[in-house]
Each structure stands twice: as C-alpha cells, then as structure tokens.
C-alpha cells in the first residue's frame, strides 16, 4: 500500500462551506416552498462588466483563427497584463513594483496555499479569525502539531483579532517568521490603516520575518488612510509577498484570474545561513507546477485597466456597497453590534444573547430562511460572531433585511 500524507488526517473533518451547504440543502429539501437567501458564501452574483466580457470574447475569437491562435503562454503571465498591473495597481500608488515581480495565476486561494512550497520549517503566525485556507494549508504542509482540545493546532501562533484590538492584532513581542495578514479582512471586514500596517512591516524588518499579505478585497477601500498594497509602506519589498485577485473586484470568481507579487529584494536563508531569493524560488515553483492562465482570461483581466473597464468595475463595486449600506442600516435598527462593511464587502456581527455561531446559524436558517456564515468556522476567536456578505443581488438583500426587521428579536430564544 502507498503511504499517505498523514498531515491531512489532522484537518478538521469538514470544510466550513461544505457544512453550510449541507445544512442549507437539507433545510431546502424539507421546506421546498421556502425561499432561502444566502448571506453566507462569499461568491459574487453580478455578471462580468461588459468591457471585460467583450475583451474575453475577443480573446476567444483570436484562439479560433490560425493567424492569432496562441498555445502555451508565459507561465508568469502575459507581459501586457503584468505591465498594466505594475503601473495602475502599484506604481501609481507610489509602490515600486516591476512587471517581472508579478506572477499571474488562476486564483489567490491556490497562491496563498501553494506559497508554502518555497518555505522550510518556520514559526507561522495566523490571525484568528482568518480565511480558513491559511491554517488548513499549513496543516497539510506539516507546519503544525495535532489539533488541541480548544480547536487550535499545536505549533501555530494564533494572533487574536478581537473587540479589544478592534480586530487588528498588533505584532507580538516574540519571534514569528511567517505572518499572514489580510486587509480588508475576510471575515471581519476590518481594514488595516497605514500606521497599523507600518507597525507590522517594522516588526518584520526587525525579526527578518515574511508577511504574506492578502489584499483580495483592496478595491473596496474608500478611505485614503488605508493602503491598498503593503508595498505602499516603506521597505515592505524586503519583507512581504502580496496576493491579489480579480475575483471579488471584477467578478472573476468563475473566470479565474489573480496575481502574486514576490519582490526581488525579498530573501530567505538556507540551513547554512546563505541568503536565497524568494522570488527565484517562486519563479521556479510557478513555472514547474503551473502552465499559465488562459489567454482570453488574461485579455479580460487587462480590460479591467481601461478607462471604461475601470468605470464599470466601480459601478459593480457600488452595487455591492449598496447592499452593505442596507445591511448595516438594518443591523443598527435591530441593535446588533457589527464591524466592517465600510472598506470591505464583509460585515462581522456579534450574535445576540451570546448564542454560539452555529446556534445562531440554525436559528437564522430555520426562522428567517437566511444563511449566514458562522464566525467560529474562521477560528475560535470567531465564536459568538457571524459574517454577512454583500455579494447578493439587491432583491434578495432587500427581502432578507425586511425579514430581519420584521422579526421580534426579544423572542429570539422561545
Ligand atoms: N483570499 C481571501 C481572503 C478570500 O476571501 C478569497 C476568496 O474568498 C481568496 C483569497 C480567493 O480568491 P480567488 O478566487 O482568487 O481564489
């Protein structure tokens, strides 16, 4: 018999969204007449903006003509797209990122997981709550011990994000080698301001750490005090890798396009203390295990940087922002405590009457036919919170908020 990677056996049995999906289908099957509204999964609902769609079509048409047909593209991504990203996403914001420091991929989920291929044994710090991929991929890679009775994994450093620190943990007073930061944050919806991010960059410079900065939601930032990229912070190129995605910002959850920035200044060291370029390692990894994003998808992503494409993306973001406003107003009216929803498509809410996250999930599904995401699914610090996303359509968001307003919350627990 072959031997398996036993690290997989350490994983909690079910991925958060599978459990939500199962409970929702079970309810829907037994109540076929009820309209269930999904405020839970962070998937987008609105179509690709038309300029992006046209560019996508044009790319497909070129593939059907021998004169313009393209086979394998560059593994790192077409230069036409990397140049646009370097200019508009970084250089125009004062971040000196060059096209050859950018790697186009088919998703930030894969990149945030795959990045561990280039690291050895390290002390890994992950915020709690966090996007589940960070913890799970570290377990798969063997960076943790077994799960403990409190639900956290031995060997990982958990950086608690809570009401006391306004859901932005400060750097610890001990060594952490790899740090996952996500801003604007999934699930809390809280973004890090310039000062908070500078503190982390300074910590990483002092401790020779690497920050894995997930900026999948940066386009939702409206306030100038909040950097869109970690590379807007001085010297961050020496300590950070950044992940970006077109998924939630331009509707690419199904089309698949993202990118990762690994600066050339970023170094790690081998077991005898020799400095090694992390950019070179990622380049090697990416070109060995990945064959590039399809040409039409990269054409579509490039269209996001045209004047018209950018305008349509802003309209798309405003569509979801409208939902956020409606949900926040509703939460205010019914007296729930919440965070986020300002520079982010996520709203993080305290459960009423200290119900556990899953108790409140069941309550919402059974009584209001609304699917929320239980906060405890993102880490133990998420217990007694839940996440609402703003990616629904206006009609569903309207119906869900009306249901919430009609409910008599004093009778929550019969
Ligand atoms: N990073 C965060 C924080 C996310 O919430 C998500 C998607 O939900 C991703 C990355 C994945 O994005 P992609 O669709 O590019 O894989």
């Amino acid at each position: 018999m072959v031997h398996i990677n036993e690290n997989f056996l350490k994983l909690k049995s079910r991925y958060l969204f599978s459990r939500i999906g199962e409970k929702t289908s079970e309810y829907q099957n037994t109540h076929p007449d009820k309209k269930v509204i999904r405020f839970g999964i962070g998937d987008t609902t609105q179509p690709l903006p038309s300029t992006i769609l046209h560019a996508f079509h044009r790319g497909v048409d070129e593939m059907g003509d021998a004169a313009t047909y393209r086979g394998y593209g560059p593994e790192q991504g077409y230069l036409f797209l990397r140049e646009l990203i370097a200019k508009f996403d970084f250089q125009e914001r004062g971040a000196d990122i060059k096209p050859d420091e950018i790697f186009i991929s088919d998703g930030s989920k894969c990149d945030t997981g795959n990045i561990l291929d280039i690291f050895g044994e390290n002390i890994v710090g992950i915020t709690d709550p966090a996007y589940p991929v960070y913890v799970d991929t570290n377990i798969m890679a063997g960076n943790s011990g077994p799960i403990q009775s409190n639900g956290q994994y031995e060997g990982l450093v958990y950086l608690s994000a809570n009401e006391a620190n306004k859901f932005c943990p400060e750097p610890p007073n001990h060594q952490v080698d790899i740090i996952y930061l996500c801003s604007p944050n999934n699930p809390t919806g809280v973004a890090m301001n310039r000062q908070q991010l500078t503190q982390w960059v300074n910590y990483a410079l002092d401790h020779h750490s690497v920050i894995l900065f997930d900026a999948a939601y940066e386009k939702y930032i409206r306030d100038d005090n909040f950097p869109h990229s970690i590379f807007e912070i001085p010297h961050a190129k020496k300590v950070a890798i950044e992940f970006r995605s077109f998924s939630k910002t331009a509707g690419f959850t199904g089309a698949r396009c993202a990118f990762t920035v690994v600066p050339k200044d970023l170094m790690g060291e081998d077991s005898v203390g020799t400095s090694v370029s992390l950019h070179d390692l990622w380049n090697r990894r990416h070109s060995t295990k990945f064959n590039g994003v399809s040409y039409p998808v990269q054409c579509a992503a490039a269209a996001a940087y045209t004047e018209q494409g950018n305008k349509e993306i802003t309209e798309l973001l405003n569509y979801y922002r409208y939902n956020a406003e409606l949900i926040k107003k509703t939460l205010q009216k019914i007296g729930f405590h919440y965070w986020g929803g300002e520079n982010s498509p996520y709203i993080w809410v305290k459960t009423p009457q200290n119900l556990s996250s899953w108790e409140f999930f069941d309550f919402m599904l059974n009584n209001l036919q609304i699917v929320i995401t239980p906060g405890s699914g993102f880490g133990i610090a998420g217990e007694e919170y839940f996440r609402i996303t703003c990616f629904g359509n206006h009609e569903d968001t309207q119906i869900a908020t009306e249901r919430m307003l009609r409910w008599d919350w004093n009778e929550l627990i019969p």
Side-chain angles (χ1 to χ4, degrees), residues 23 27 31 34-37 352 355 358-372 399-400 402-409 411-414:
K23 277 183 173 260
Y27 180 84
H31 302 82
K34 301 272 194 209
K35 178 175 168 60
V36 174
I37 295 185
L355 289 184
W358 279 107
E359 276 170 345
F360 192 66
F361 173 91
D362 289 335
F363 166 82
M364 289 291 274
L365 181 59
N366 293 323
N367 295 286
L368 281 86
Q369 293 77 46
I370 295 174
V371 179
I372 45 106
I399 298 172
E402 278 165 13
R403 284 182 195 167
M404 289 175 80
L405 286 170
R406 272 203 308 271
W407 187 261
D408 180 357
W409 293 97
E411 293 187 8
L412 176 58
I413 304 171

Side-chain angles (χ1 to χ4, degrees), residues 107-109 131 134 182 186 214 216-217 245 247-248 256 258 346:
S108 284
K109 188 185 210 176
Y131 178 50
Y134 311 151
C182 176
N186 177 13
D214 188 339
Y217 300 95
S245 171
S247 284
K248 306 296 170 64
R256 312 302 304 142
Y346 293 120

